[in-house]
Amino acid sequence: MTSNGASSTSSTSQPVKILMLHGYTQSGPLFHAKSRALEKALSRSFPNASFSHPTGPRRVRSADIPGFESGINNADGEVAEAYAWWQRSNTGLEYIGIQEGLAKIAETIREEGPFDGVVGFSQGACAAGMVAALLEGKMRIQGFERAEKGGGLPYPSSFRKTTDTAELIQSPLKFAIIYSGFAAPSELYSGFYDPPITTPMLHFIGSLDSVVDEGRSRKLVEACAGEEKVVVHPGGHFVPSQKAFLETAVGFVLETVGGKSWQEVGEEERVEDMEVPF
């Protein structure tokens, strides 16, 4: 699913394509609704921005949701409009259906990309980190080859242009924005994080997040190379929509895509006298 951002005051006319990855028990349309404030803020600086909202391939049943008590199941016991990119095994270490989930994302890249960046929330943020890593080229493929020798996941064939080539479905992403993200905990998935992810990444962590605590989010931060860019907001498990946090995200994209420093962002597009919190 693709939606175009509304035009308003512009910092750059450069077209920007952004892949939006929803969280566990959400869907593409639902994440679009929950991230409208972010998309609107980005569209003020990039009036030619477009946003793609794929939906994970796995339908989620109420039994798969801890603490689920509502009666919104359909006849098959599935929760209405609840999807996932993968599901955890009973041990919590293995991601069931991860290749299928990544293939769905790769299909979106082929059909609607190439993308400049990715935004992910919760499970979608974990997936966003994986996608950023997978598109980093030869060094990443070699990392997966080393991991596979130790029993790790092989490099997903869906991210290759063809099955018999090292050429990937697109060039590396310019940025990733991570909300309530985390790294896959098992050594099975070490290929995503070794070598460290080099794609510029901005992490938002909720100080009151009881679903993905700060320790889990920090594992993904630690898996990234370069300067840490972390924003801790005084909220829980959601995409913060306060102006300060929206403009921090916009400033990050302007730096990575638009080639502007934070100081060059117009006063009408940021919080007055705000300092970027990283």
Side-chain angles (χ1 to χ4, degrees):
M1 174 184 175
T2 303
S3 64
N4 291 319
S7 296
S8 82
T9 304
S10 169
S11 282
T12 174
S13 60
Q14 180 178 353
V16 175
K17 300 186 76 171
I18 302 175
L19 179 62
M20 308 287 289
L21 300 180
H22 66 79
Y24 188 66
T25 74
Q26 293 185 337
S27 65
L30 180 58
F31 188 45
H32 173 44
K34 289 182 175 292
S35 58
R36 283 185 187 274
L38 175 63
E39 293 183 16
K40 183 178 179 180
L42 286 166
S43 296
R44 283 199 296 269
S45 290
F46 297 93
N48 294 320
S50 63
F51 304 87
S52 294
H53 306 81
T55 293
R58 300 183 69 87
R59 289 294 298 266
V60 178
R61 298 171 59 88
S62 59
D64 299 320
I65 306 175
F68 183 87
E69 297 178 353
S70 176
I72 58 172
N73 290 22
N74 62 21
D76 297 320
E78 296 170 327
V79 185
E81 295 303 309
Y83 296 85
W85 299 106
W86 59 77
Q87 290 174 282
R88 291 189 301 176
S89 65
N90 291 335
T91 65
L93 297 178
E94 185 177 356
Y95 289 164
I96 300 169
I98 187 172
Q99 291 282 21
E100 179 188 7
L102 291 172
K104 176 64 176 181
I105 296 171
E107 177 185 325
T108 304
I109 294 173
R110 291 175 187 273
E111 294 179 354
E112 302 181 27
F115 291 97
D116 294 284
V118 61
V119 174
F121 169 68
S122 194
Q123 188 187 76
C126 179
M130 291 177 174
V131 170
L134 288 171
L135 294 172
E136 288 180 344
K138 184 177 179 180
M139 293 283 289
R140 183 62 53 195
I141 293 174
Q142 292 173 343
F144 268 90
E145 289 172 348
R146 290 192 297 272
E148 188 177 2
K149 290 178 181 177
L153 187 79
Y155 187 89
S157 60
S158 58
F159 275 74
R160 297 181 187 269
K161 216 162 197 180
T162 62
T163 55
D164 59 349
T165 181
E167 189 175 1
L168 305 184
I169 54 177
Q170 78 151 71
S171 58
L173 296 173
K174 297 173 182 175
F175 70 89
I177 301 179
I178 305 296
Y179 292 94
S180 297
F182 55 93
S186 171
E187 286 297 314
L188 285 170
Y189 309 113
S190 61
F192 292 108
Y193 312 114
D194 183 17
I197 300 170
T198 59
T199 303
M201 194 172 293
L202 172 62
H203 305 259
F204 285 88
I205 299 173
S207 62
L208 301 179
D209 194 333
S210 60
V211 178
V212 179
D213 63 42
E214 184 170 346
R216 289 180 69 196
S217 291
R218 290 282 177 182
K219 292 294 185 183
L220 181 55
V221 175
E222 293 165 4
C224 298
E227 178 187 0
E228 287 189 3
K229 293 190 175 182
V230 180
V231 178
V232 178
H233 64 86
H237 196 64
F238 55 79
V239 176
S241 59
Q242 296 96 326
K243 186 176 181 181
F245 301 114
L246 295 175
E247 296 301 345
T248 299
V250 171
F252 178 68
V253 178
L254 283 167
E255 288 180 354
T256 55
V257 174
K260 291 197 171 192
S261 68
W262 179 257
Q263 288 74 21
E264 293 175 303
V265 180
E267 290 293 331
E268 75 280 0
E269 296 176 310
R270 60 175 177 161
V271 177
E272 186 174 358
D273 297 328
M274 175 186 167
E275 294 182 1
V276 182
F278 49 72

